[in-house]
């Protein structure tokens, strides 16, 4: 039960993008097309789940026994950067068009605050191994959800008569704000 | 903190880094993607300013697209003929001589020549001024005169003269076309260097009005069309147009009788 609550809480109630405002950069940058939004979401989810597991192991098996919690930032960034490199190589090998459409945002997952935030929050809340993996999965699903919703709206928006001065970044920010408001409605869920 | 913990910290971080780097090295082997060496070679010969004039985000993507056949080998306007030849050599294709292009100002209506309908005191850019009733000059087709084109030029090839008109220094112009994009009025045009004779007016007003708004306006009288050889010039929407396919590289101005003196031979400002 506890695991389900953690998952739903990470995906909807405390959605990383729309409620906690982490990882806004890819949220605005890669949400123009549905397929690149989905694959970006999947890439981030993959990195989140694996890094949640690896950072938990590093924190509890290496940092805590040697009393080196101060190094958590360094080691977490190390894990995330390596994982992102791996994902980048993999996507480049499997699908060159996808690699091109993700562009700079793929290597930028390294500096995506959502992922570092995830690792730090799960340390902060003292999650067990299983819990932190589930937390990572939930956060990844939440991130994908936000990206997909945004991409869907922005694809429709291409055809909509947006007032001249709202075009581009302006209307995107307004939509992001509305989505954030909508997700606040989940706060009574649990 | 004693020396021991320092060593443990350094050792464990180093160890982690080593493990990850070995993992990545193995992954790199397994997931290696063969890249065409031509892409790198072409990137080497490109100017490397990443100006984006070719239509791609920078020199790297351009090189890639040339190899993939999505871009022309002579697609780099900044590098011009030289770079095109180098790229053709790398690709192993024959290079054709493509004509170098330069930007030209297609308006002669400066402060002296044109009549003003109002005084504009807003933001001093052409784009802003165009939004408000097409600027302060009566002529709705002409140069606004705040120098957006000069601002856009990355190569110091343009300046505003005293008469409020932009001037292209053709020796410095690399033909990137940034000024053409910047001009809200479409006054800037790219022309091959060999096109010496230009019709420097865009005014499509009827004869009486055109005469009032600018002393150098094409009023659409058609005298040039009558005097020139058949087909070299055409008239549409009260504006004469040069058909360069027939006009070719002729350096002679079609007629001296043009009331607006719209034709110029490039070289003179």
């Amino acid at each position: 039960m506890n695991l389900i609550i953690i998952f739903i809480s990470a995906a909807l109630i405390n959605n990383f993008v729309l409620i906690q405002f982490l990882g806004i950069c890819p949220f605005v940058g890669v949400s123009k097309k549905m397929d690149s939004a989905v694959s970006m979401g999947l890439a981030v989810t993959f990195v989140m789940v694996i890094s949640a597991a690896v950072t938990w192991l590093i924190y509890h098996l290496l940092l805590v026994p040697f009393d080196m919690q101060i190094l958590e930032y360094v080691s977490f960034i190390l894990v995330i950067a390596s994982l992102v490199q791996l994902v980048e190589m993999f996507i480049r090998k499997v699908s060159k068009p996808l690699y091109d459409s993700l562009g700079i945002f793929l290597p930028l997952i390294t500096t995506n605050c959502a992922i570092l935030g995830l690792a730090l929050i799960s340390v902060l809340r003292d999650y067990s191994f299983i819990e932190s993996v589930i937390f990572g999965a939930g956060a990844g699903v939440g991130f994908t959800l936000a990206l997909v919703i945004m991409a869907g709206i922005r694809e429709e928006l291409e055809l909509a008569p947006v007032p001249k001065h709202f075009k581009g970044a302006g209307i995107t920010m307004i939509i992001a704000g509305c989505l954030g408001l909508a997700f606040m409605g989940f706060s009574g869920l649990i | 903190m004693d020396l021991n913990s320092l060593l443990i910290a350094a050792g464990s971080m180093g160890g982690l880094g080593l493990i990850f780097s070995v993992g990545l090295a193995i992954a790199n082997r397994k997931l290696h993607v063969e890249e065409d060496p031509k892409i790198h070679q072409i990137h080497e010969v490109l100017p490397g300013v990443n100006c984006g004039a070719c239509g791609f985000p920078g020199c790297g993507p351009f090189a890639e697209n040339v190899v993939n056949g999505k871009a022309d080998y002579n697609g780099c306007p900044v590098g011009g003929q030289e770079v095109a030849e180098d790229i053709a050599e790398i690709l192993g294709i024959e290079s054709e001589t493509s004509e170098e292009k330069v930007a030209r100002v297609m308006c002669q209506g400066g402060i002296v020549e044109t009549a003003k309908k109002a005084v504009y005191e807003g933001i001093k850019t052409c784009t802003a001024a165009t939004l408000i009733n097409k600027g302060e000059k009566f002529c709705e087709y002409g140069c606004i005169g705040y120098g957006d084109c000069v601002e856009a030029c990355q190569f110091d090839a343009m300046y505003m003269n005293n008469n409020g008109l932009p001037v292209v220094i053709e020796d410095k112009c690399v033909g990137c076309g940034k000024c053409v994009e910047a001009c809200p009025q479409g006054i800037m045009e790219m022309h091959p260097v060999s096109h010496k004779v230009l019709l420097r007016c865009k005014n499509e007003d009827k004869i009486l009005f055109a005469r009032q708004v600018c002393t150098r306006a094409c009023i659409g009288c058609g005298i040039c069309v009558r005097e020139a050889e058949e087909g070299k010039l055409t008239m549409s929407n009260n504006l004469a147009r040069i058909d360069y396919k027939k006009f070719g590289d002729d350096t002679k101005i079609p007629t001296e009788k043009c009331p607006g003196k719209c034709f110029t031979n490039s070289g003179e400002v």
Side-chain angles (χ1 to χ4, degrees):
Chain A
M1 191 61 207
N2 190 25
L3 294 181
I4 297 172
I5 289 177
I6 288 180
F7 184 85
I8 291 177
S9 148
L12 295 177
I13 300 162
N14 288 320
N15 186 295
F16 265 59
V17 178
L18 294 171
I19 301 295
Q20 308 204 32
F21 307 125
L22 294 167
I24 296 291
C25 162
F27 173 65
V28 176
V30 203
S31 57
K32 272 202 191 118
K33 270 199 237 127
M34 189 56 103
D35 23 333
S36 53
V38 171
S39 40
M40 182 71 181
L42 291 180
V44 169
T45 309
F46 173 79
V47 175
M48 273 180 163
V49 173
I50 305 285
S51 71
V54 178
T55 52
W56 190 91
L57 289 176
I58 287 179
Y59 188 79
H60 288 274
L61 300 183
L62 189 72
L63 300 185
V64 174
F66 289 108
D67 200 18
M68 296 187 302
Q69 285 91 331
I70 193 162
L71 289 176
E72 61 178 0
Y73 286 88
V74 185
S75 49
F76 290 177
I77 284 290
L78 206 63
V79 172
I80 294 165
S82 317
L83 279 172
V84 170
Q85 283 279 308
L86 195 69
V87 172
E88 195 182 338
M89 282 181 211
F90 181 73
I91 291 183
R92 194 168 175 199
K93 175 84 176 178
V94 176
S95 164
K96 188 78 193 345
L98 182 60
Y99 178 79
D100 286 337
S101 75
L102 290 179
I104 188 68
F105 291 100
L106 194 54
L108 273 183
I109 302 178
T110 315
T111 52
N112 189 333
C113 49
I115 295 169
L116 183 64
L118 169 95
L120 294 173
I121 289 172
S122 67
V123 165
L124 214 64
R125 295 193 187 154
D126 216 8
Y127 281 150
S128 72
F129 181 72
I130 303 292
E131 280 173 341
S132 73
V133 171
I134 295 292
F135 182 54
V141 168
F143 184 86
T144 313
L145 189 68
L147 226 67
V148 165
I149 292 174
M150 190 66 172
I153 295 175
R154 278 178 85 173
E155 275 186 356
E156 291 287 314
L157 212 63
E158 295 278 305
L159 307 169
V162 181
K164 197 174 177 185
H165 302 91
F166 281 128
K167 275 204 173 109
I171 193 79
T172 311
M173 293 297 155
I174 291 170
I175 290 169
C178 292
L179 281 179
L181 276 177
F183 266 68
M184 279 173 81
F186 284 120
S187 63
L189 199 60
I190 294 177
Chain B
M1 201 182 254
D2 53 84
L3 188 68
N4 205 16
S5 61
L6 192 71
L7 284 179
I8 291 173
S12 56
M13 284 303 114
L16 274 182
L18 201 68
I19 292 168
F20 287 133
S21 58
V22 169
L24 281 181
I26 294 169
N28 194 19
R29 260 308 146 67
K30 294 241 158 149
L31 299 173
H32 187 66
V33 181
E34 285 294 325
E35 196 178 52
D36 203 330
K38 284 175 191 163
I39 294 177
H40 185 71
Q41 284 173 354
I42 290 178
H43 198 181
E44 293 280 288
V45 299
L46 288 172
V49 260
N50 290 319
C51 63
C54 51
F56 296 99
C59 293
F62 173 70
E64 215 168 284
N65 281 292
V66 169
V67 175
N68 296 340
K70 281 181 202 153
D72 284 335
Y73 69 94
N74 56 4
C76 177
V78 178
Q81 189 61 27
E82 247 170 72
V83 168
E85 273 168 22
D86 288 344
I87 293 175
E89 205 184 303
I90 293 166
L91 293 175
I93 52 173
E94 288 283 306
S95 79
E96 293 165 24
T97 34
S98 70
E99 177 104 66
E100 218 174 293
K101 286 190 170 183
V102 290
R104 299 253 165 89
V105 185
M106 305 305 276
C107 177
Q108 297 187 97
I111 297 164
V112 181
E113 289 87 3
T114 51
K116 279 190 181 185
K117 61 184 166 201
V119 176
Y120 176 73
E121 287 186 342
I123 303 163
K124 300 277 180 207
T125 68
C126 306
T127 316
T130 345
L131 292 175
I132 303 166
N133 224 356
K134 294 269 175 195
E136 58 186 3
K137 291 170 185 170
F138 260 114
C139 177
E140 289 189 358
Y141 304 90
C143 176
I144 304 288
Y146 291 121
D148 279 14
C149 46
V150 178
E151 203 67 29
C153 185
Q154 296 175 358
F155 299 92
D156 286 333
M158 295 185 81
Y159 64 92
M160 299 299 290
N161 67 9
N162 294 337
N163 196 16
L165 277 177
V167 180
V168 180
I169 308 164
E170 292 197 3
D171 291 341
K172 284 189 182 176
C173 179
V174 297
C176 68
K178 287 275 171 189
C179 47
V180 178
E181 276 171 42
C183 181
Q185 293 285 71
I187 296 299
M188 301 304 303
E189 279 181 7
M190 302 306 295
H191 279 270
V193 182
S194 63
H195 287 179
K196 296 289 182 198
V197 173
L198 304 170
L199 171 76
R200 296 177 61 191
C201 185
K202 292 272 177 189
N203 192 311
E204 292 179 4
D205 285 329
K206 293 221 168 69
I207 183 158
L208 286 172
F209 193 62
R211 221 175 215 168
Q212 284 164 10
V213 297
C214 178
T215 56
R216 299 296 289 265
C218 171
I219 57 173
C221 61
I223 192 161
C224 48
V225 179
R226 287 193 295 278
E227 293 227 334
E229 278 170 50
E230 186 64 32
K232 279 187 170 180
L233 293 157
T234 52
M235 191 61 107
S236 61
N237 286 352
N238 302 316
L239 183 59
R241 289 161 215 267
I242 299 178
D243 185 352
Y244 282 104
K245 279 188 193 131
K246 290 183 184 145
F247 199 82
D249 301 345
D250 209 342
T251 51
K252 205 176 139 284
I253 289 172
T255 176
E256 297 291 341
K257 288 182 190 162
C258 178
K261 296 190 177 59
C262 297
F263 293 98
T264 61
N265 200 336
S266 75
E268 57 185 81
V269 173

